[in-house]
Amino acid sequence: MAYYTYTHSALHLRIPSSLSLSNPNIHLPSTRISFQPLRFKGLNAKPNNRFICKAVKSSMAASSQVEIFEKEELAVSLAKYTADLSNKFTHQRGAFTVCLSGGSLINYLRKLLEPPHVDSIEWAKWHVFWVDERVVPKDHQDSNYKLAFDGFLSKVPIPPGNVYAINDTLSAEGAADDYETRVKHLVNSNVIASSSTSGFPKFDLMLLGMGPDGHVASLFPGHPLVQENKKWVASITDSPKPPPERITFTFPVINSSAYIALFVTGTGKADAVHSALRGSGTADKLPAALVSPEGELKWFLDKGAASKL
Ligand code: 6PG
């Protein structure tokens, strides 16, 4: 597939050349940056072509990327991204700490069960957490643990002790406290890295989905939990998306991560994607617009989710 690739220290935009954007000019809210084509395959390059790209003003991430994929490329790209980071971290630090969300993301991760990834990933060094979890029994159909376990975790040799499900015998508040305590032990034993900048745990990779309302994890627009800045793990009992009782990593933890993939598909999310990436103002920012890891943020979008950019 051919891509137009534009890059800047703060934003990297990669668009399949087959994709016709209705408006090729994507405007920056705060800084106007002209992107020169750096790589151009498959079509005749016009050297004077310029895209004005919109950077995410809120993002303090060292690097932000937005990639728009053909449907069939999404799973392939997400699996490669995850496998490459697994390789990087298992070599660098002997462990790979990855946090999963619920939702449609998990189905796409099944690509990890196929060659070459299934054989090349050092599964024994994976440590799997949940960015957010619904407070239901682990065998309940709403459980994010069950979704991921049935989807791919049960099919790879990750030691059961490295899969950190919530304690489903506790209340939401109890489960959040318990999860935070377990994460603290793992930081103290260096399984999870610690951010020297924030003092919060620094997970190697967080895989986030986004709801049509712009929520990430179980951090919903307008909910006070979005502002939580002390707890590592918080409980919520009035989630607008059912089920109402959940636990969730807070923004300081999410934003201390080394890498975050924000995976969004479907036209039903196009308005929220537009608002998160092109919205201005600070008061009414969607939770998705507040995602800003210490390392790299990468948006994986399909054409539907990107249709209003
Ligand atoms: C949850 C999720 C949630 C999810 C988004 C996207 O438990 O509800 O963790 O944050 O990732 O709502 O879900 P979809 O991709 O299914 O729309």
Side-chain angles (χ1 to χ4, degrees), residues 67 184 216 273:
E67 287 204 35
K184 280 190 171 147
V216 291
V273 168

Side-chain angles (χ1 to χ4, degrees), residues 100-105 131-134 142 144 207-213 215-220 239 241-243 246 263-265 269:
L100 306 175
S101 303
S104 52
L105 167 85
V131 180
D132 67 326
E133 177 57 290
R134 295 99 179 266
D142 284 340
N144 284 344
L207 294 162
L208 298 179
M210 185 194 78
D213 59 353
H215 82 261
V216 291
S218 286
L219 300 166
F220 293 88
S239 163
K241 177 181 178 181
R246 292 151 172 260
F263 184 85
V264 190
T265 59
K269 296 178 179 174

Side-chain angles (χ1 to χ4, degrees), residues 270-286:
D271 283 329
V273 168
H274 175 274
S275 172
L277 287 170
R278 299 189 59 182
S280 52
T282 49
D284 54 352
K285 273 196 188 310
L286 292 181

